Amino acid sequence: MPGLPMQQEAIAFTQKIPSTDGTSLYDHLTDVVMKILNEQPTDPVNLLQTSLMVKKTANSLAPDSAQGLSLQAPPDSSDSAALSKVFGMAELPINPETGEPEEAEAPNEYECENVLNDAALMEACGVGLSRTDMYGVMMVCKQLGEDPKLGVATVRFFGKVLGVYADYYVFETTLKEQAEEEEETPGPNEVPSEKGGAGANGYTYFVCNNLGGALSRLHSVKPAHIRAARQVKKFVSGKLDAQVSAYPPFPGTEAHFLRAQLARIAASTVLCPAGYFTANEEGGLDKAEDFTPPAPTDLGTAGAWAHRYPHLKKQGRTTVFTKEVPEGEEAPEPTEEESEQGPEPLSTLDKDTEVEGGDAWTPLFSSTNSGVKNQVAGVRSNLWPGAAAVASGAAFTNVYVGWGVKTGPFLPLPPPPVAQEYDQALVESNELPQKPEPVKEEEEPKEEE
């Protein structure tokens, strides 16, 4: 139509497109726009999408049934509704006396890694989560770190543990003040737990089923939970209060089982470039001042990476526990667990045990072309599938996205031995008293006629 403006051409085009009910695209769009202007819904985009679905469905229905359909926006899914909370301002509680919102507490000061930079490193090597999910992870880290009630000092995204019914997003934190927990009274043959902020309990973990959902803090891990988890191969369900149905029986709920698995995964797969840290006399780590980042081609080798967290021993602790011997008694010979000598701190990956006859780690490269600038390289664990560490220059990160199951054959423990029968012959005894004679019931007197 030469001479007509572009807007009139567009209107004329929509009026020419017919539909099965005799109307045009222009008529349908006019009805939807008028409905949005009259009702002014909070989410008009969802209303527009729903109207198109209703229009498509109405063409396959009878005219009478199609007229009864209403254009209502679909309810938001739980994931989208939960994630939307971390992008907006938190609602302040209302004072019941004044009816006014109470003043917000000052946000907590904390330290956190560059989540988006870590996401770019992981994306370059094809590991971790998508960039969209990592943006939500960044917002949850901000929400977790700024909460003044939790008192978090550092926050790190540990990864995602896949579950049967729901997944767990895991956040690793250190607290400014360790929370008070119930005093543990281990039995005579039990190994006590390590204190909060040290060893296997050096970090506090928070988990949620969806980004923006309620965060649940996992309790400190006990050696009994770690030892029991080593004998079980099981997927998590996604419910922290669920019972762990396995043999041997696990002494706790899924929350304890998940915490034990996280301790095992962290001790084996959280890495740092070799030479980035140095071990101090107190057992901690200090950042090396003369660290030189290795070349990208060297980052794909096992000798370029070191274990950042201490080794988890057979007792379920990072340090061996020996029982105190009372004065005047000789000390017994140490057991195999008490005499275990773990690897030195910051040991490199080339000292790891082979996994099913192969290397324990697989190299990762963002490009096979060695001439690419700013190349990202790293390693991926074959012992815990889903764990990876990548680096570019001095920047590095760790992540775990997997089912929480260790590589290896499943060898369930045999059932306990059958109980022995009674070894003494069952004979009749004459020493038992004689059976008493039954008591005769007294006859009631007959009534006189």
Side-chain angles (χ1 to χ4, degrees):
M1 297 179 183
L4 291 178
M6 185 179 298
Q7 291 83 355
Q8 295 182 3
E9 292 183 6
I11 294 175
F13 175 74
T14 57
Q15 290 176 344
K16 290 192 305 181
I17 300 178
S19 61
T20 56
D21 59 353
T23 61
S24 63
L25 176 61
Y26 178 81
D27 297 332
H28 178 64
L29 293 176
T30 302
D31 295 339
V32 174
V33 173
M34 290 300 298
K35 186 176 183 63
I36 293 176
L37 295 177
N38 294 332
E39 298 183 0
Q40 296 183 0
T42 57
D43 45 1
V45 177
N46 290 338
L47 179 61
L48 178 60
Q49 295 176 353
T50 307
S51 66
L52 297 178
M53 292 298 299
V54 171
K55 185 70 176 178
K56 183 177 180 181
T57 308
N59 294 333
S60 60
L61 298 175
D64 297 338
S65 60
Q67 293 177 359
L69 296 176
S70 60
L71 301 181
Q72 297 180 356
D76 294 332
S77 61
S78 59
D79 294 348
S80 301
L83 187 59
S84 63
K85 297 180 182 178
V86 300
F87 287 95
M89 298 294 294
E91 296 182 359
L92 299 177
I94 303 298
N95 191 333
E97 297 181 357
T98 61
E100 299 292 335
E102 298 180 354
E103 295 183 1
E105 299 182 22
N108 177 57
E109 295 183 1
Y110 68 102
E111 295 181 2
C112 181
E113 298 179 352
N114 192 333
V115 179
L116 294 184
N117 185 43
D118 295 346
L121 295 178
M122 292 184 288
E123 185 180 13
C125 290
V127 296
L129 304 179
S130 65
R131 185 167 297 188
T132 303
D133 290 341
M134 289 302 294
Y135 197 89
V137 167
M138 180 191 67
M139 299 303 296
V140 176
C141 289
K142 179 177 180 294
Q143 181 187 37
L144 179 61
E146 291 183 348
D147 192 342
K149 298 180 180 179
L150 299 178
V152 171
T154 61
V155 181
R156 185 180 78 89
F157 177 61
F158 183 88
K160 182 179 181 180
V161 179
L162 307 178
V164 178
Y165 302 104
D167 305 329
Y168 290 112
Y169 292 89
V170 185
F171 299 88
E172 185 182 78
T173 67
T174 57
L175 303 180
K176 296 179 180 179
E177 296 182 2
Q178 294 295 330
E180 296 182 0
E181 297 186 359
E182 298 181 0
E183 295 184 1
E184 182 183 4
T185 55
N189 297 326
E190 294 182 357
V191 178
S193 304
E194 294 178 287
K195 296 181 179 180
N201 292 317
Y203 295 91
T204 303
Y205 292 89
F206 292 84
V207 298
C208 60
N209 293 123
N210 43 36
L211 296 176
L215 288 167
S216 301
R217 177 186 171 184
L218 300 181
H219 295 285
S220 299
V221 65
K222 296 182 179 180
H225 294 155
I226 295 178
R227 299 176 64 172
R230 287 172 171 165
Q231 301 175 352
V232 173
K233 273 185 176 291
K234 186 175 179 60
F235 294 147
V236 295
S237 65
K239 302 176 182 179
L240 292 176
D241 57 350
Q243 297 296 324
V244 181
S245 177
Y247 181 82
F250 185 81
T253 61
E254 184 169 294
H256 302 95
F257 178 72
L258 176 63
R259 180 62 183 87
Q261 294 296 85
L262 293 178
R264 299 175 61 199
I265 295 172
S268 301
T269 64
V270 177
L271 312 177
C272 65
Y276 190 88
F277 291 105
T278 58
N280 53 33
E281 297 179 356
E282 299 177 356
L285 301 179
D286 297 329
K287 189 175 180 179
E289 298 179 356
D290 55 348
F291 171 72
T292 302
T297 54
D298 296 336
L299 285 173
T301 61
W305 293 89
H307 288 281
R308 184 175 177 179
Y309 291 174
H311 175 67
L312 202 59
K313 305 186 184 303
K314 295 180 180 179
Q315 283 187 338
R317 295 165 49 102
T318 59
T319 57
V320 175
F321 170 77
T322 55
K323 299 180 182 179
E324 296 182 359
V325 180
E327 297 181 359
E329 296 183 6
E330 296 182 0
E333 295 184 1
T335 61
E336 181 181 356
E337 294 181 351
E338 295 176 348
S339 59
E340 180 183 4
Q341 298 293 332
E344 298 179 356
L346 299 175
S347 61
T348 54
L349 305 187
D350 52 4
K351 301 178 182 179
D352 289 0
T353 307
E354 294 184 351
V355 178
E356 295 187 344
D359 296 335
W361 298 87
T362 300
L364 293 173
F365 295 98
S366 60
S367 175
T368 56
N369 187 356
S370 59
V372 175
K373 295 183 179 179
N374 301 323
Q375 186 171 183
V376 183
V379 289
R380 181 177 57 202
S381 175
N382 297 325
L383 183 64
W384 290 96
V390 293
S392 178
F396 69 95
T397 185
N398 294 266
V399 70
Y400 176 81
V401 181
W403 291 93
V405 177
K406 184 179 178 180
T407 301
F410 178 49
L411 301 176
L413 294 180
V418 180
Q420 298 181 357
E421 295 184 0
Y422 188 67
D423 55 356
Q424 187 176 0
L426 298 178
V427 295
E428 185 177 357
S429 176
N430 297 326
E431 299 178 357
L432 297 176
Q434 296 182 356
K435 184 178 180 181
E437 297 181 358
V439 180
K440 297 182 179 180
E441 297 181 358
E442 298 181 358
E443 297 181 356
E444 298 180 359
K446 298 181 179 182
E447 297 181 358
E448 297 181 359
E449 297 181 357

